[in-house]
Amino acid sequence: MTAKPAGRRRGPVSTVGIGTAGSRVWHVNTVAMRAASVEVSGRAGEHGALPEALVGLPITPTDAVGLTERAAALAKRSIKTTAKGAALTLAVRCMDLTTLEGVDTPGKVLSLCAKALRPEPTDPAVPPVAAVCVYPELVGVAAGALAGTPVRVASVAGSFPAGLGPIGVRLAEIADATSAGADEIDIVLNRSAFLAGRYRQAFDEVAASKEAAGHAHLKVILETGELGSYDAVRKASMLAMAAGADFIKTSTGKIGTSATLPVALCMAEAIRDFADADGRAVGLKVAGGIRTAKQSWQYLVVMAETLGPQWLHPDLFRIGASSLLNDVLLQLDRLGTGRYPRPDKTVV
Amino acid sequence: MSTAGGGLGVPKTYKMYVGGAFVRSESGRTYPARSAGGDLLAHAVAGSRKDVRDAVRVARGAQAAWAARTAYNRGQILYRVAEVMDSRRAELIRELARATTGSEATADPAGEVDVAIERWVWYAGWCDKYPQVLGGANPVAGPYFNFTVPEPMGVVGIASPDEAPLLGIVSRLAPALVPGNTAVVLAGERHPLVAVTLAEILATSDVPGGVVNVLTGRRAPLVRALAGHGDVDCVDLSGCDPADHDDADVAAEAERLAAETVTRVVHATVGERHWLEAAAQSPYAISAFCEYKTVWHPKGR
């Protein structure tokens, strides 16, 4: 990563700050960050220091009430008839059909791939999903089934879901998944380092993962449910994007708190501001706890209103889900026939 | 209903009962519930088609667990409903009396409540007995042990009649619950308030949330939504009075919609429509809400 020219620097409002780098001031709003300040003062050195690549990025304080309120307002947007059909079809196109269970078998992955290619066998108008997301062990199976199709293979890697394995092992896992045929790699941000104020370490690990991933797209999971505040979410978003992430992703789906609309809005705003400062368009993937068609179009509304129609594309927006597709298909079926079908009509 | 005696009283807000919670309509609409004589009693919730869909979803979610309970346990819970009905007997009588005030027909609220409680107890007792009576071992010509067992259909939609605001619901709901179905009940359109009080009784008597959902509102659109919903296994159109011209039209359309989604349609028989009489309760009412599964089991040495 290159350091940002001074002219790009945006002036964040500074109130309370610890550890400065250049003229950037880090804001302290969370318990986690206060813990970091203790560590910084106790162990002077790199802790709390800001990687140069982040200097000048708009890591401004967030407005939690504003985010919640705007997300709630956007969630009320009424989407009907043709717009609803278009939104549901787009949700299918942007979907990462996911199975991340300890009991995943090649057979299950194969049937998921079949479903990814032709989500609704009776209706060819329903497009294929964006990608199938599996554990590294099963990347080969998915890659074989999806070779020559528009559906990509995504793999979690880097000691998913905690992300706390030895860095060498994590990088090897990423490289392994890529060479097995993964087009996209989902890693987790090292929240341990991030929350302890070792931003440099967290940054370097993402950058190294990007390198290890090679041609594959890198999605960085922030696990926002564990970050504690919107300020931390914004800071983690900026850190991941500056370190080279192609996508930033909300959650692993493995902890209780998953994607929420305000968190997605917060990250979308970070993506927008990063694009303004850096010029690079980073994607957003929302994942975890998204089960209903209505939730999916609420996220689409947030994307469209925050980032514009350019981001309503599988290259820049993804929904990671395992059971969402069935509800979307059910709603599409209902739009076509006018009747609510049995939910068990769609399986897998 | 405001408190008796002095004071300002606490007017009751009659809401619908969905998924174990008392909710207003998603549409925000209400309609006036009047006594037979035309006095305004309260504003009942005017449920929408969306409310029907929400109720069907929670009923489907609750069905497997309800059916998986032991027959004995279901019987105990239904008996508990009768207990709570009995303890709130005075309130039920007062509700019914208010609703039927000004009616030309001679009404007997206390009699209707007593029969309703007894009927509920009667059906509670059937929970662990109906399979022996309705099912059985079949004599077949072959080396098979062949037997038939009744099983719950799944989600049952019940349109309740107007002429017996409480007893009509009890007479159709109780037999539907016995084999392990869950229910979406449309209260009688004319006198919906007592159905909400019955829902309060269900809510406080160990019936798991979602097993019974009580909606109030206009019958025709709600019956159409229920009958046309693919995830409803059976609709009971007892609330559509065959003698009433409009009701008969609604029933005919509901049957057409139900046929499109392969939904069973049942009606209370003519005998069963004499709600106060013993003929209105029968194990065959339970049978109407059952699927029959026949098993061929090879036998040999």
Side-chain angles (χ1 to χ4, degrees):
Chain A
M1 291 306 302
T2 54
K4 301 291 162 294
R8 286 244 191 90
R9 187 173 301 160
R10 310 207 150 201
V13 197
S14 79
T15 46
V16 186
I18 57 161
T20 58
S23 65
R24 276 287 310 122
V25 178
W26 288 85
H27 298 279
V28 186
N29 288 48
T30 68
V31 175
M33 290 300 114
R34 283 195 199 97
S37 78
V38 171
E39 191 159 341
V40 170
S41 58
R43 298 165 60 190
E46 68 163 84
H47 293 347
L50 178 68
E52 306 81 53
L54 272 79
V55 175
L57 289 178
I59 309 178
T60 48
T62 55
D63 171 6
V65 173
L67 283 170
T68 315
E69 199 171 11
R70 177 146 176 81
L74 292 175
K76 289 203 193 87
R77 187 74 55 88
S78 178
I79 310 280
K80 301 284 186 205
T81 61
T82 47
K84 187 172 173 181
L88 292 171
T89 308
L90 179 60
V92 173
R93 284 177 53 220
C94 289
M95 200 172 298
D96 280 5
L97 203 54
T98 304
T99 181
L100 294 171
E101 306 288 337
V103 294
D104 287 349
T105 56
K108 184 177 174 190
V109 170
L110 285 175
S111 71
L112 202 68
C113 291
K115 183 154 176 125
L117 286 168
R118 190 79 182 265
E120 177 59 276
T122 59
D123 183 2
V126 178
V129 304
V132 168
C133 183
V134 295
Y135 271 121
E137 166 96 9
L138 295 154
V139 165
V141 177
L146 297 172
T149 74
V151 179
R152 297 192 221 169
V153 180
S155 169
V156 295
S159 299
F160 180 90
L164 289 178
I167 181 67
V169 174
R170 278 187 270 155
L171 295 177
E173 190 184 6
I174 293 166
D176 197 49
T178 313
S179 60
D183 306 303
E184 301 172 359
I185 300 289
D186 291 26
I187 64 157
V188 270
L189 179 73
N190 188 336
R191 278 111 48 228
S192 172
F194 178 81
L195 291 174
R198 301 196 303 275
Y199 304 114
R200 161 73 65 187
Q201 183 193 341
F203 178 91
D204 287 346
E205 287 183 4
V206 173
S209 302
K210 171 69 184 164
E211 203 178 319
H215 68 276
H217 271 227
L218 186 73
K219 302 185 204 134
V220 178
I221 304 169
L222 307 183
E223 195 67 300
T224 53
E226 291 180 344
L227 292 183
S229 74
Y230 295 118
D231 280 358
V233 169
R234 186 176 174 89
K235 192 180 291 179
S237 302
M238 288 294 176
L239 186 144
M241 288 188 286
D246 297 300
F247 263 83
I248 51 176
K249 175 174 165 184
T250 58
S251 322
T252 58
K254 296 293 183 192
I255 64 163
T257 314
S258 292
T260 66
L261 221 46
V263 154
L265 177 59
C266 177
M267 290 168 71
E269 288 180 349
I271 289 171
R272 179 193 62 197
D273 296 345
F274 181 81
D276 283 349
D278 185 279
R280 191 163 69 90
V282 176
L284 176 65
K285 177 170 171 182
V286 293
I290 303 166
R291 296 197 181 85
T292 66
K294 184 184 257 180
Q295 284 174 295
S296 71
W297 74 62
Q298 287 172 343
Y299 284 105
L300 288 171
V301 169
V302 165
M303 292 302 285
E305 291 295 334
T306 312
L307 289 159
Q310 186 202 340
W311 258 265
L312 296 180
H313 189 277
D315 286 346
L316 288 171
F317 179 63
R318 293 289 176 84
I319 305 172
S322 44
S323 56
L324 169 66
L325 182 57
N326 286 344
D327 192 54
V328 171
L329 295 178
L330 187 143
Q331 297 295 335
L332 279 170
D333 191 349
R334 138 83 177 81
L335 275 178
T337 63
R339 276 192 301 276
Y340 273 86
R342 302 184 75 93
D344 59 5
K345 183 184 165 191
T346 52
V347 288
V348 178
Chain B
M1 185 175 289
S2 55
T3 48
L8 289 171
V10 184
K12 181 158 136 187
T13 306
Y14 289 87
K15 295 195 273 189
M16 305 193 294
Y17 180 56
V18 176
F22 287 88
V23 296
R24 291 184 171 83
S25 170
E26 142 301 321
S27 68
R29 296 186 184 182
T30 59
Y31 74 108
R34 298 182 186 281
S35 71
D39 297 331
L40 177 67
L41 301 175
H43 284 86
V45 173
S48 67
R49 292 176 300 172
K50 170 88 168 113
D51 293 319
V52 170
R53 295 200 295 275
D54 290 344
V56 169
R57 189 182 306 120
V58 296
R60 171 61 64 192
Q63 199 269 325
W66 176 241
R69 284 173 183 263
T70 62
Y72 172 75
N73 186 231
R74 276 203 307 280
Q76 291 286 298
I77 290 173
L78 295 186
Y79 186 79
R80 171 83 182 134
V81 173
E83 284 177 11
V84 180
M85 281 175 84
D86 194 46
S87 72
R88 293 175 72 159
R89 182 171 173 274
E91 184 187 355
L92 287 170
I93 292 172
R94 204 162 58 229
E95 288 268 20
L96 275 181
R98 278 200 330 151
T100 50
T101 301
S103 167
E104 287 165 13
T106 50
D108 175 14
E112 183 177 337
V113 172
D114 287 344
V115 173
I117 295 170
E118 283 167 23
R119 188 157 295 163
W120 203 287
V121 172
W122 191 82
Y123 276 116
W126 272 104
C127 282
D128 53 4
K129 300 172 188 70
Y130 79 96
Q132 295 92 314
V133 175
L134 299 176
N138 310 318
V140 290
Y144 297 99
F145 175 40
N146 183 289
F147 56 98
T148 298
V149 286
E151 294 194 335
M153 296 203 67
V155 175
V156 175
I158 298 172
S160 318
D162 282 320
E163 66 266 23
L166 176 66
L167 193 53
I169 296 180
V170 168
S171 303
R172 304 309 292 171
L173 174 61
L177 294 179
V178 163
N181 296 299
T182 53
V184 176
V185 178
L186 308 181
E189 179 177 332
R190 244 182 296 153
H191 303 304
L193 303 184
V194 70
V196 180
T197 303
L198 178 65
E200 291 171 1
I201 288 167
L202 294 163
T204 50
S205 49
D206 296 343
V207 178
V211 168
V212 182
N213 305 279
V214 179
L215 305 181
T216 57
R218 303 292 177 197
R219 179 176 292 125
L222 298 187
V223 167
R224 272 200 292 270
L226 259 185
H229 196 301
D231 206 21
V232 173
D233 298 293
C234 173
V235 281
D236 181 333
L237 299 180
S238 300
C240 298
D241 186 349
D244 180 298
H245 201 68
D246 290 341
D247 268 8
D249 285 351
V250 172
E253 197 192 347
E255 294 207 21
R256 187 181 59 73
L257 288 167
E260 285 178 14
T261 52
V262 201
T263 301
R264 181 187 293 179
V265 176
V266 300
H267 298 269
T269 60
V270 175
E272 285 168 346
R273 292 190 75 88
H274 295 113
W275 304 108
L276 283 160
E277 289 169 24
Q281 61 191 44
S282 146
Y284 296 106
I286 302 171
S287 175
F289 299 110
C290 288
E291 294 270 22
Y292 286 88
K293 183 166 81 181
T294 295
V295 180
W296 295 71
H297 192 287
K299 66 180 174 187
R301 289 173 196 282

